Amino acid sequence: MKLSQYLLVISLLISFFQITYAQEETINVSDVLKKGEIEKQFDIVVKKSGNYQEYKVVKRVWLDQFRTNLSDTLKTLESRLNTNHLKINELKTTISGLEESLAKTNQDLASVTKEKDSISFLGAALTKASYNTIIWGIIGVLLALLGFFIFKFKNSNAVTLQAQKALSETETEFEDHRRRALEREQKVMRKLQDEINKQRKAGAK
């Protein structure tokens, strides 16, 4: 085979590999621009772009596609940001409502606790400690009065029993005295009758 034929074959092979590589490059970049993330799209565009001195030569179609993708991404992010902002406002409103409800609940709880710890006594609101002190004070006074009355009753009962005993003894003594006086009277009456009888007999003679 001649040298010119070898060169021709080599040239054809090089051209084939370049075309294949360019197709793979285009396919890879297109795939990334269609499905990849923005950062990966930027990286692949820069990586696959040509070099000219200190500049990068970017295909216009890639640049347009990247700009479109970037715009769509920014719109999506803005939409998500707006949605998140609305959700945040809703959450703030909910939290504010919950805080108000919690404050009202705490107020109601404090009121209920105060009512639970206080007792109405003679129209006055007293704490349980004060109420217990007053009640036990009243109970103590009543017990003291009860003890005093029991003591007085026992003393009065003892005096009554003693008076009854003395009365009984006096009645017994009186009954004895009356009986003796009656007996003396009967004796005197018999003597008097005897004297009358004697006088009658003496007058009859």
Side-chain angles (χ1 to χ4, degrees), residues 149-180:
F149 286 124
I150 290 174
F151 174 75
K152 294 293 289 183
F153 175 76
K154 286 184 177 180
N155 286 341
S156 298
N157 191 33
V159 171
T160 302
L161 291 175
Q162 187 176 359
Q164 288 177 350
K165 183 178 180 182
L167 179 62
S168 178
E169 291 175 354
T170 302
E171 288 177 349
T172 303
E173 290 178 359
F174 176 75
E175 189 65 27
D176 291 341
H177 176 71
R178 189 178 67 80
R179 183 175 52 78
R180 288 193 297 270

Side-chain angles (χ1 to χ4, degrees), residues 77-164:
L77 291 176
E78 185 178 1
S79 176
R80 289 180 181 177
L81 184 62
N82 291 333
T83 302
N84 291 334
H85 185 67
L86 291 175
K87 289 182 178 179
I88 289 172
N89 288 335
E90 290 177 359
L91 290 175
K92 284 182 179 179
T93 303
T94 303
I95 291 171
S96 179
L98 290 175
E99 287 177 348
E100 291 179 0
S101 177
L102 179 61
K104 187 177 183 302
T105 301
N106 289 334
Q107 185 177 359
D108 293 341
L109 179 61
S111 177
V112 169
T113 303
K114 185 177 180 181
E115 290 178 0
K116 183 180 178 182
D117 292 338
S118 64
I119 297 175
S120 180
F121 182 73
L122 298 178
L126 301 174
T127 62
K128 285 188 176 181
S130 301
Y131 176 79
N132 290 334
T133 302
I134 293 174
I135 292 300
W136 283 110
I138 293 173
I139 291 174
V141 171
L142 292 176
L143 289 176
L145 290 174
L146 179 62
F148 175 75
F149 286 124
I150 290 174
F151 174 75
K152 294 293 289 183
F153 175 76
K154 286 184 177 180
N155 286 341
S156 298
N157 191 33
V159 171
T160 302
L161 291 175
Q162 187 176 359
Q164 288 177 350

Side-chain angles (χ1 to χ4, degrees), residues 50-65:
N51 294 319
Y52 176 73
Q53 296 180 0
E54 72 269 21
Y55 304 105
K56 277 287 186 179
V57 179
V58 182
K59 289 184 178 181
R60 180 62 180 268
V61 64
W62 293 356
L63 191 61
D64 291 340
Q65 185 64 44

Side-chain angles (χ1 to χ4, degrees), residues 32-79:
V32 173
L33 288 175
K34 289 178 181 179
K35 301 178 182 179
E37 299 176 356
I38 289 296
E39 186 175 356
K40 290 182 178 179
Q41 292 180 23
F42 180 78
D43 290 339
I44 197 69
V45 167
V46 172
K47 182 178 179 181
K48 297 298 183 179
S49 297
N51 294 319
Y52 176 73
Q53 296 180 0
E54 72 269 21
Y55 304 105
K56 277 287 186 179
V57 179
V58 182
K59 289 184 178 181
R60 180 62 180 268
V61 64
W62 293 356
L63 191 61
D64 291 340
Q65 185 64 44
F66 179 74
R67 183 178 63 184
T68 301
N69 294 344
L70 182 60
S71 177
D72 293 340
T73 301
L74 289 176
K75 288 179 181 179
T76 302
L77 291 176
E78 185 178 1
S79 176

